[in-house]
């Protein structure tokens, strides 16, 4: 059996949909919606015909590592990385042993300047997710080496629903919205209940326009601490 076909079969099982139990009832309506059924057919076909990132087993990793109940912080990305060995289901994160992309390097530079925390040896952000940081891309899959190839197929509607259910059913979350794309999602968030921090994107093209110096990491911890919540060990 080819790797691509086995990925397709695994994805079919995942899209039944296997997702961390605290998310399942809150998103069940989305899973049963017509758009999601069409999305499922599209992505299954893509796994069958092309190389798709992340690996199928990692599509919902952000949810599996940060349950609905434990989520305290939300960081929004756009697409998964589309290069080999990078995407594994968490926005901005790459697997251990993979060179850090420039945006992630800039994130760690800001953490160093903000909190005086040394740069880590790798770019895997599992440890953030396990503390309740939901690292959510708007689009959860992408074709290898084709940025944006799975946009406007239904993923955005699904992840918008995720943001809305978090906003409606939880209180005192911190949303980090970096760049214009993420900031447009701010319209889905009840800012009377949650802390929303915005700045330019950490990419090399924008970081010097206000991402550097935004102090979002210390501001996040201050907000959590003031509301009786555990701080994030960045």
């Amino acid at each position: 059996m080819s790797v691509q076909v086995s990925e397709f079969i695994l994805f079919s099982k995942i899209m039944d949909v296997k997702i961390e139990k605290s998310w399942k009832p809150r998103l069940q309506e989305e899973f049963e919606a017509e758009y999601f059924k069409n999305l499922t057919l599209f992505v299954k076909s893509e796994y069958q015909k092309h190389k798709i990132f992340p690996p199928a087993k990692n599509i919902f990793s952000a949810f599996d590592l940060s349950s609905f109940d434990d989520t305290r912080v939300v960081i929004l990305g756009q697409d998964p990385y589309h290069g080999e060995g990078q995407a594994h289901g968490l926005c901005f994160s790459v697997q251990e042993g993979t060179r850090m992309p420039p945006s992630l390097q800039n994130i760690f530079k800001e953490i160093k300047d903000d909190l005086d925390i040394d740069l880590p040896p790798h770019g895997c952000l599992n440890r953030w997710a396990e503390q309740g940081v939901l690292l959510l891309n708007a689009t959860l899959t992408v074709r290898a080496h084709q940025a944006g190839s799975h946009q406007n197929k239904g993923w955005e509607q699904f992840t918008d629903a995720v943001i809305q259910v978090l906003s409606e059913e939880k209180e005192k979350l911190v949303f980090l919205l970096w760049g214009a794309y993420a900031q447009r999602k701010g319209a889905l968030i009840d800012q009377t209940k949650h802390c929303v921090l915005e700045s330019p994107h950490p990419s090399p093209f924008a970081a010097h326009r206000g991402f550097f110096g935004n102090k979002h990491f210390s501001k996040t911890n201050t907000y959590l601490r003031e509301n009786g919540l555990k701080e994030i060990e960045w």
Side-chain angles (χ1 to χ4, degrees):
M1 182 184 296
S2 72
V3 172
Q4 197 62 48
V5 172
S6 64
E7 282 284 290
F8 165 64
I9 292 172
L10 179 56
F11 179 74
S12 299
K13 292 178 181 178
I14 287 174
M15 294 296 281
D16 280 336
V17 169
K18 308 299 182 187
I19 193 170
E20 196 277 331
K21 62 181 181 180
S22 66
W23 288 103
K24 190 72 180 281
R26 294 174 170 90
L27 297 173
Q28 190 61 42
E29 186 175 335
E30 303 304 314
F31 299 141
E32 296 172 356
E34 191 65 26
Y35 86 86
F36 199 87
K37 294 175 184 176
N38 292 334
L39 171 64
T40 299
L41 292 173
F42 167 74
V43 180
K44 282 182 179 180
S45 175
E46 287 286 284
Y47 270 96
Q48 193 172 30
K49 297 175 183 176
H50 305 283
K51 190 162 193 177
I52 305 300
F53 297 129
K57 65 181 180 181
N58 296 139
I59 291 171
F60 294 110
S61 287
F63 302 90
D64 294 333
L65 291 173
S66 182
S67 71
F68 180 86
D69 298 328
D70 291 340
T71 294
R72 289 175 287 150
V73 179
V74 182
I75 299 179
L76 297 179
Q78 190 165 356
D79 270 5
Y81 295 122
H82 55 83
E84 296 286 342
Q86 294 181 309
H88 64 117
L90 309 180
C91 74
F92 293 107
S93 181
V94 293
Q95 299 182 71
E96 290 191 38
T98 302
R99 186 175 183 274
M100 288 188 204
S103 292
L104 184 56
Q105 292 180 39
N106 287 339
I107 288 169
F108 284 128
K109 286 178 184 176
E110 175 58 24
I111 291 173
K112 170 65 175 174
D113 291 342
D114 186 11
L115 297 171
D116 196 27
I117 296 173
D118 289 336
L119 301 182
H122 59 76
C124 180
L125 302 181
N126 279 19
R127 61 190 179 82
W128 290 5
E130 290 165 355
Q131 297 177 73
V133 180
L134 182 67
L135 296 162
L136 181 66
N137 276 314
T139 303
L140 299 189
T141 55
V142 69
R143 218 184 263 184
H145 313 300
Q146 295 185 39
S149 50
H150 285 188
Q151 291 179 4
N152 303 314
K153 302 296 184 181
W155 278 129
E156 294 92 341
Q157 186 171 344
F158 172 71
T159 52
D160 280 359
V162 172
I163 296 168
Q164 286 181 299
V165 75
L166 284 166
S167 176
E168 291 169 4
E169 295 194 22
K170 292 182 74 77
E171 294 183 349
K172 299 179 174 59
L173 296 177
V174 181
F175 290 85
L176 303 183
L177 308 183
W178 300 330
Y181 183 87
Q183 287 162 20
R184 286 195 291 272
K185 304 293 187 183
L188 303 169
I189 302 165
D190 183 346
Q191 300 192 26
T192 67
K193 295 169 56 182
H194 305 288
C195 175
V196 176
L197 300 176
E198 299 184 352
S199 83
H201 195 275
S203 78
F205 304 104
H208 291 280
R209 298 203 298 266
F211 178 80
F212 290 137
N214 66 20
K215 298 191 179 300
H216 279 186
F217 304 97
S218 61
K219 289 177 180 177
T220 293
N221 279 350
T222 296
Y223 180 84
L224 293 173
R225 183 175 64 252
E226 288 176 349
N227 285 282
L229 301 169
K230 188 175 180 181
E231 298 178 27
I232 305 297
E233 295 182 12
W234 300 106

